[in-house]
């Protein structure tokens, strides 16, 4: 009888399978992207700068007490020799970029100007044996050149070069290729202007040079003012907020969960463990934006999944109800010769479930393909299909199929053999 139903009503069965496949494909694609979107969205947001700032403990305390600005020195510094330690923490692979800064005031043609030493695209040999290229060339990806070129530590043979902000260049009449003389507290030097940049903020009023050049000018060999870190993080929850206030207030299990999750507070805590006398804190505007955008993106995908499954359920409902109405004579005859409702329901559901399984399998693989299209189109990278997606989609297909069959089953139960067989 099942075989006969498939042969006689193959078009309706094909439409049911197609409807299930559409719902399953959308569910598979959205769930796959949602489970993999966290790192993708965070990676995209790295273009907006660092989300963690590390400063000396003394600077942090004085800043909190007296509202000292981030760029104001209070005579406390971090050790340059410990910079590589940041890539040795538990969440080392989530640290995608970082760079140190040391600022000093120098004299340029009788005028005071802020000179900042930093990395541009610095190549590091890490304690783990790995290598890393980091610096403001990638951390300040929104900077644009007005003239000249960015400093390239890998190719530039000359070390006495500078990158000048557009505001400073206009104020002091500096052009690309000019030689500028800077007098610092401990030394002086001549620098060739490699390029002029536009950042859209107060950094346009500064001159950027190699880290060791600024250290020489200020007499701060081996010292840095601050470190900016760009890390892939997990949105904060109640546990992360509690830990950020006081990690010692956590129970052992809570501490292990927090420490082994990539919360921004957890990564900050681990950085403080490897950088002597430091305070690492989240740049809240960036960190909060990352969490908010990620949550909204995931919510949107969940809503799309739910709506697609509701649509599939309604489609299945219409098709199965039409199928039962077409077979009302057959069902009435089965009841007349002694078949009970349970047996007939089992027969109809078996047909629908077999059709749904075929549609679900086709939809799953189609959804995997859709996920890759979304990943490559939106994020420029492939989407990892998690093993958890398959059973979730299978459960959803079963629920949608059964939910869509309920009206048809109610119709089936209401059919009376005498009325059906007499054409009423």
């Amino acid at each position: 009888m099942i075989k006969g139903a498939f042969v006689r009503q193959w078009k309706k069965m094909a439409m049911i399978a197609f409807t299930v496949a559409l719902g399953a494909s959308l569910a598979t694609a959205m769930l796959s992207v949602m489970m993999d979107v966290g790192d993708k969205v965070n990676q995209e947001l790295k273009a907006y700068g660092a989300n963690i700032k590390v400063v000396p403990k003394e600077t942090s305390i004085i800043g909190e007490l007296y509202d000292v600005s981030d760029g104001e020195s209070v005579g406390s510094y971090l050790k340059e020799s410990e910079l590589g330690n940041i890539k040795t923490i538990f969440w080392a692979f989530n640290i995608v970029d970082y760079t140190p800064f040391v600022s000093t005031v120098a004299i340029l043609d009788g005028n005071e100007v802020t000179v900042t030493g930093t990395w541009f695209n610095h190549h590091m040999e890490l304690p783990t044996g790995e290598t890393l290229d980091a610096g403001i060339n990638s951390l300040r990806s929104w900077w644009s050149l007005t003239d000249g070129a960015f400093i390239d530590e890998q190719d530039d043979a000359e070390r006495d070069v500078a990158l000048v902000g557009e505001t400073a260049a206009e104020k002091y009449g500096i052009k690309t290729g000019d030689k500028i003389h800077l007098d610092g507290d401990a030394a002086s030097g001549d620098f060739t202007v490699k390029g002029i940049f536009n950042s859209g903020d107060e950094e346009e009023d500064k001159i950027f040079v190699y880290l060791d050049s600024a250290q020489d000018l200020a007499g701060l060999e081996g010292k840095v003012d601050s470190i900016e870190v760009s890390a892939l993080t997990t949105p904060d929850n109640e546990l992360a907020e509690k830990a950020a206030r006081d990690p010692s207030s956590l129970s052992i299990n809570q501490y292990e969960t927090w420490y082994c999750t990539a919360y921004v507070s957890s990564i900050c805590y681990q950085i403080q463990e490897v950088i002597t006398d430091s305070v690492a804190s989240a740049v809240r505007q960036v960190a909060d934006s990352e969490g908010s955008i990620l949550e909204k993106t995931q919510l949107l995908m969940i809503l799309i999944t739910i709506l697609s499954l509701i649509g599939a359920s309604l489609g299945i409902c219409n098709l199965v109800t039409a199928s039962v109405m077409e077979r009302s004579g057959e069902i009435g005859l089965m009841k007349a010769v002694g078949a009970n409702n349970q047996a007939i329901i089992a027969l109809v559901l078996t047909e629908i479930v077999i059709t749904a399984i075929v549609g679900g399998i086709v939809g799953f693989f189609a959804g995997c393909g859709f996920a890759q299209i979304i990943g490559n189109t939106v994020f420029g990278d492939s989407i990892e299909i998690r093993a958890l997606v398959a059973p979730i989609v299978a459960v959803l297909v079963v629920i949608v199929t059964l939910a869509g069959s309920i009206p048809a089953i109610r119709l089936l139960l209401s059919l009376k053999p005498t009325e059906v067989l007499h054409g009423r």
Side-chain angles (χ1 to χ4, degrees):
M1 293 180 70
I2 293 173
K3 179 182 177 182
F6 278 110
V7 171
R8 291 192 307 274
Q9 293 192 311
W10 67 270
K11 290 183 179 180
K12 277 194 174 56
M13 294 302 180
M15 284 300 299
I16 292 173
F18 180 70
T19 303
V20 172
L22 281 178
S25 64
L26 280 171
T28 301
M30 291 299 101
L31 289 171
S32 298
V33 173
M34 187 181 71
M35 289 182 179
D36 199 45
V37 76
D39 287 349
K40 299 288 190 299
V41 170
N42 278 330
Q43 191 66 53
E44 290 291 321
L45 290 173
K46 292 307 107 183
Y48 297 100
N51 53 355
I52 295 173
K53 185 163 187 175
V54 188
V55 298
K57 187 176 295 184
E58 185 180 336
T59 300
S60 176
I61 294 172
I62 293 177
E64 291 176 1
L65 289 176
Y66 301 107
D67 195 27
V68 176
S69 66
D70 290 342
E72 190 171 339
S73 174
V74 293
S76 183
Y77 301 94
L78 302 172
K79 298 177 182 178
E80 182 186 357
S81 59
E82 294 183 341
L83 290 172
N85 294 349
I86 293 176
K87 286 292 284 184
T88 65
I89 65 172
F90 182 84
W91 286 107
F93 289 108
N94 283 51
I95 305 295
V96 295
D97 202 357
Y98 67 99
T99 189
F101 295 92
V102 61
S103 292
T104 184
V105 175
I107 304 300
L108 171 64
D109 297 333
N111 299 299
E112 289 189 348
V113 62
T114 301
V115 179
T116 299
T118 187
W119 293 342
F120 295 92
N121 57 335
H122 185 71
H123 183 77
M124 288 186 65
E125 300 289 339
L126 302 173
T128 58
E130 300 172 275
T131 60
L132 173 71
D133 291 328
I136 61 170
N137 286 6
S138 52
L139 202 61
R140 299 284 196 274
S141 59
W142 66 89
W143 282 11
S144 60
L145 283 171
T146 304
D147 192 24
F150 285 112
I151 294 174
D152 187 345
E153 295 190 26
Q154 311 300 319
D155 295 331
D156 289 347
E158 188 178 359
R159 298 287 296 182
D160 295 330
V161 290
L163 195 63
V164 181
E166 189 175 41
T167 303
E170 291 176 358
K171 186 185 298 184
Y172 306 117
I174 299 172
K175 299 186 294 298
T176 299
D178 286 355
K179 288 275 189 180
I180 58 175
H181 181 79
L182 298 174
D183 289 309
D185 292 338
S188 60
D190 294 318
F191 297 85
T192 302
V193 178
K194 182 76 180 291
I196 296 171
F197 69 90
N198 178 296
S199 65
D201 56 24
E202 69 277 2
E203 291 186 322
E204 286 188 21
D205 203 30
K206 298 179 181 179
I207 296 175
F208 285 80
V209 298
Y210 278 92
L211 182 64
D212 53 1
S213 297
Q215 289 170 336
D216 291 341
L217 289 173
L220 298 173
E221 183 179 355
K223 298 177 181 179
V224 297
D225 290 330
S226 63
I227 309 167
E228 292 188 10
V229 181
S230 179
L232 300 176
T233 60
T234 298
D236 282 354
N237 57 14
E238 187 177 345
L239 174 62
E241 291 171 358
K242 181 180 179 182
R245 291 191 296 269
D246 183 13
S248 63
S249 66
L250 304 178
S251 66
I252 294 175
N253 289 337
Q254 287 178 326
Y255 180 85
E256 290 179 352
T257 301
W258 169 70
Y259 195 88
C260 298
T261 306
Y263 299 122
V264 67
S265 57
S266 171
I267 294 177
C268 286
Y269 183 80
Q270 293 171 33
I271 291 174
Q272 290 175 182
E273 291 181 317
V274 298
I275 302 294
T276 305
D277 293 330
S278 68
V279 173
S281 56
V283 180
R284 277 295 157 196
Q285 296 91 331
V286 178
D288 290 347
S289 295
E290 290 177 356
S292 176
I293 292 172
L294 181 57
E295 287 174 359
K296 289 176 181 177
T297 302
Q298 291 177 330
L299 178 60
L300 175 62
M301 293 179 180
I302 291 172
L303 289 175
I304 292 174
T305 302
I306 292 172
L307 291 174
S308 68
L309 293 175
I310 290 173
S313 182
L314 291 173
I316 292 170
C317 173
N318 291 332
L319 290 167
V320 176
T321 301
S323 174
V324 169
M325 290 179 67
E326 283 186 13
R327 298 170 62 188
S328 59
E330 176 188 342
I331 293 170
L333 183 59
M334 290 171 63
K335 286 187 175 184
V337 296
N340 58 35
N341 285 331
Q342 289 78 9
I344 298 173
I345 290 171
L347 176 66
V348 173
L349 284 180
T350 301
E351 298 168 1
I352 296 169
V353 168
I354 292 173
T355 307
I357 290 173
V358 174
I361 292 172
V362 173
F364 175 77
F365 287 105
C368 292
F370 291 152
Q372 300 309 322
I373 293 173
I374 293 171
N376 286 294
T377 302
V378 177
F379 302 107
D381 194 9
S382 60
I383 297 294
E384 180 184 352
I385 307 298
R386 309 293 173 92
L388 189 60
V389 172
I392 292 176
V393 171
V395 171
L396 291 175
V397 166
V398 171
I399 292 173
V400 167
T401 302
L402 293 178
S405 302
I406 289 174
I409 291 172
R410 293 181 62 185
L411 175 63
L412 185 153
L413 293 174
S414 67
L415 291 177
K416 296 179 179 179
T418 52
E419 295 179 358
V420 171
L421 293 175
H422 283 85
R424 299 196 297 269

